[in-house]
Amino acid sequence: MGAATTTVPRAQAHHPDPNENYLKAERGIMSWIYTLDHKRIGVMYLVSVLLAFLIGGIFALAVRLELFSRGKTIMDADAYNRTFTLHGVVMVFLFIIPSVPAALGNFILPIQLGAKDVAFPRLNLMSYYIYVFGACFALYSMVNGAVDTGWTFYTPYSMRTTSAVIPMVLGAFIMGFSSILTGVNFIATVHKLRAPGQTWTKLPLFIWGLYATSIIQVLATPVLAITLLLLCLERFLGLGIFDPKLGGDPVLFQHFFWFYSHPAVYIMIVPGMAVVNEIIATFSRRAIVGYMFVAMSSLALALLGFLVWGHHLFVSGMSEYATMVFSALTFLVAIPSGVKVFNWVATLYKGSIRLESPMLYALSFIFLFTIGGLTGLFLGVLAIDVHLHDTYFVVAHFHYVMVGGTVMGFVGGLHYWWPKITGKLFNEGVAKVAWALVFIGFNVTFIAQFIMGSRGMPRRYYDYLPEYEIFHKVSTIGSWILGLGFLTMAVMFVASLIKGQKSTRNPWGSAALEWQTPTPPPLANFIKVPTITRGPYDYHLATEEELSEK
């Protein structure tokens, strides 16, 4: 990707060799516990979020199994309330939010910048342990009666329920600090540690996406932290902030909560979009059309995401003028998302497309996220939202954005960078089978929910009327196919770790900087400090040596 100018010095006494493979540079469990290497911290995040995804997925399958038939199937109503709440809390706070930025971002961002590490390595390690500490609180809540409020912790119910709200809220509160510190670290890294020649217009779009995400994390997460802290104080001290009996306003909690949580939707989806940029460029073998438009649309999403929280409260008693403003802003936020989708499709046009497993997930992202985005516009229309509010239509819309978008992006990124992270290849045929199961299972699960939601089936209900039974059965069968797909994927990755073939340096033939360094990367990321002379998608400027596998 450019002429190398400086050779990284070799190891000195008692210091690991910076040119050694990061997995082998140091040995033993303590070398992982105390590591300051961003790649190892990224791997630890990856293991943690995958474990959270497994737990959240099991809760989801249990919820769908309960709803397979009317009345009690496997659990009573109280257990059902706790199970769907835990599914939401675990998936949102423990998996989706840290999945791409903290796991894949930690590993890839410094390498794409040509840096040796993030700006504050010790802060990076502390962020990880704060995340683990917060997760322990959440785990304590699960084994101590769990929580039954839904993942939004709406008042006044969250102030009155006897379930373990406090430890779960404290868990989310603590994990928020991890998110903020990671965002600060990434912003400083992008500003200060770019390699020589790495100008803002040559940054990979994955970096632009994480940069926009970091801004949201730093600005919005403190609002959630204060809100959850106020909820704890309200339960302990009865301050009268949210409790109507004491003169408080429960709707105020919703305003505070969604002022963070709608930007948090973009904390979740923008990194997924960022991953898709990298995959589409590599597997179309051409530059992303409208590079700066795509980059700026990430920042536009970060800005506009702060202005649309009110569309979650259309039926909560807002003035008609406020609802009109929030409705208009909701339509406005669709524009930067539309810019991205248009440019991805334009990139595919006349591209040299290879339908390998990462690309299949990227294409799935475009298809499913477009459905999720368009159905969001339906909910932005005031008259329609009144009818669809709190129905399964909203559940399906949310999952088309979060799972069809973010999870597809995360899984696509995991397939794309798996050889770089582990140094091993996976079975491409099994990967495609797993993709097919995931794609089919997901659509079977949630298209049924779109239909029954549009017909009035309320969300979060333990039981339902006979006319909705067929849709619940189809949706549950879809969840089994989806679960089988993820199980197949997990087996494939484990098999890759155990007996996978050794990966070459650049198995996808990409022009991006992270594929120009050895696989797995050395401890210092590069044998020689790179000088950037072209953009990450300039295939017409890349040499045959750079695009070759070895």
Side-chain angles (χ1 to χ4, degrees), residues 16 29 54 90 144 166 214 271 274 278 334 362 426 431 483 518:
I29 186 68
L54 172 65
V90 171
N144 190 36
I166 296 297
S214 299
E278 303 302 311
F426 53 79

Side-chain angles (χ1 to χ4, degrees), residues 488-504:
T488 305
M489 189 189 307
V491 171
M492 176 202 71
F493 280 136
V494 171
S496 167
L497 288 176
I498 296 173
K499 58 180 181 181
Q501 292 182 5
K502 185 179 179 181
S503 173
T504 55

Side-chain angles (χ1 to χ4, degrees), residues 24-51:
K24 298 179 179 176
E26 294 178 276
R27 302 279 185 175
I29 186 68
M30 301 308 288
S31 71
W32 283 86
I33 291 175
Y34 292 111
T35 185
L36 298 180
D37 179 27
H38 69 95
K39 299 180 290 297
R40 287 191 169 204
I41 294 173
V43 170
M44 291 194 293
Y45 265 119
L46 182 60
V47 172
S48 301
V49 299
L50 288 176
L51 182 61

Side-chain angles (χ1 to χ4, degrees), residues 266-290:
Y266 298 102
I267 291 176
M268 301 179 222
I269 191 65
V270 171
M273 293 171 167
V275 171
V276 168
N277 289 316
E278 303 302 311
I279 296 175
I280 286 181
T282 294
F283 292 94
S284 299
R285 213 175 174 81
R286 64 177 301 203
I288 295 289
V289 172

Side-chain angles (χ1 to χ4, degrees), residues 442-464:
F442 174 80
N443 283 289
V444 171
T445 302
F446 292 103
I447 285 178
Q449 295 187 15
F450 267 134
I451 297 171
M452 66 174 149
S454 66
R455 296 186 180 186
M457 173 69 208
R459 63 176 173 175
R460 299 178 176 174
Y461 274 35
Y462 174 66
D463 205 356
Y464 47 83

Side-chain angles (χ1 to χ4, degrees), residues 226-237:
I226 293 297
T227 306
L228 297 180
L229 187 61
L230 287 174
L231 177 60
C232 292
L233 293 175
E234 184 84 332
R235 280 183 65 112
F236 282 126
L237 305 176

Side-chain angles (χ1 to χ4, degrees), residues 104-397:
L104 298 180
N106 244 312
F107 195 99
I108 297 298
L109 180 139
I111 303 178
Q112 286 192 332
L113 290 173
K116 293 179 183 177
D117 209 317
V118 292
F120 309 114
R122 286 179 172 77
L123 188 68
N124 198 24
L125 182 62
M126 188 172 82
S127 301
Y128 172 70
Y129 284 119
I130 290 174
Y131 165 82
V132 173
F133 188 54
C136 289
F137 271 82
L139 186 62
Y140 171 78
S141 171
M142 291 181 208
V143 299
N144 190 36
V147 59
D148 62 352
T149 61
W151 74 276
T152 53
F153 307 115
Y154 273 2
T155 57
Y157 183 69
S158 59
M159 296 184 297
R160 299 169 182 167
T161 177
T162 57
S163 62
V165 171
I166 296 297
M168 185 61 80
V169 166
L170 284 177
F173 176 80
I174 294 167
M175 283 186 279
F177 285 95
S178 171
S179 188
I180 293 170
L181 295 179
T182 299
V184 169
N185 217 340
F186 282 2
I187 290 172
T189 304
V190 173
H191 276 271
K192 305 301 293 185
L193 294 186
R194 301 194 305 277
Q198 181 73 289
T199 62
W200 286 91
T201 56
K202 291 177 183 171
L203 285 180
L205 289 165
F206 183 68
I207 301 290
W208 276 108
L210 291 187
Y211 184 76
T213 303
S214 299
I215 292 173
I216 309 173
Q217 285 175 309
V218 172
L219 296 180
T221 309
V223 179
L224 177 70
I226 293 297
T227 306
L228 297 180
L229 187 61
L230 287 174
L231 177 60
C232 292
L233 293 175
E234 184 84 332
R235 280 183 65 112
F236 282 126
L237 305 176
L239 297 179
I241 299 172
F242 304 126
D243 190 344
K245 289 191 302 184
L246 301 174
D249 183 359
V251 179
L252 179 63
F253 178 88
Q254 295 188 33
H255 279 285
F256 284 165
F257 182 84
W258 286 112
F259 185 80
Y260 161 80
S261 293
H262 197 81
V265 169
Y266 298 102
I267 291 176
M268 301 179 222
I269 191 65
V270 171
M273 293 171 167
V275 171
V276 168
N277 289 316
E278 303 302 311
I279 296 175
I280 286 181
T282 294
F283 292 94
S284 299
R285 213 175 174 81
R286 64 177 301 203
I288 295 289
V289 172
Y291 168 91
M292 283 310 296
F293 284 100
V294 177
M296 291 302 110
S297 65
S298 295
L299 296 179
L301 284 172
L303 172 65
L304 294 172
F306 282 97
L307 306 177
V308 295
W309 83 91
H311 68 215
H312 294 274
L313 290 85
F314 282 157
V315 298
S316 298
M318 297 172 66
S319 79
E320 59 189 45
Y321 299 108
T323 56
M324 284 192 290
V325 170
F326 281 118
S327 177
L329 289 170
T330 301
F331 295 139
L332 189 62
V333 81
I335 294 176
S337 299
V339 167
K340 287 180 181 292
V341 172
F342 175 82
N343 285 285
W344 290 331
V345 174
T347 303
L348 294 172
Y349 180 64
K350 292 189 176 179
S352 181
I353 297 174
R354 289 175 293 156
L355 292 177
E356 297 185 62
S357 53
M359 186 62 161
L360 293 175
Y361 284 103
L363 296 176
S364 301
F365 178 103
I366 297 174
F367 178 73
L368 300 175
F369 173 74
T370 301
I371 294 175
L374 291 175
T375 50
L377 290 179
F378 298 169
L379 297 170
V381 178
L382 295 171
I384 297 176
D385 183 76
V386 170
H387 293 281
L388 295 178
H389 188 83
D390 270 348
T391 67
Y392 263 88
F393 189 93
V394 178
V395 177
H397 155 71

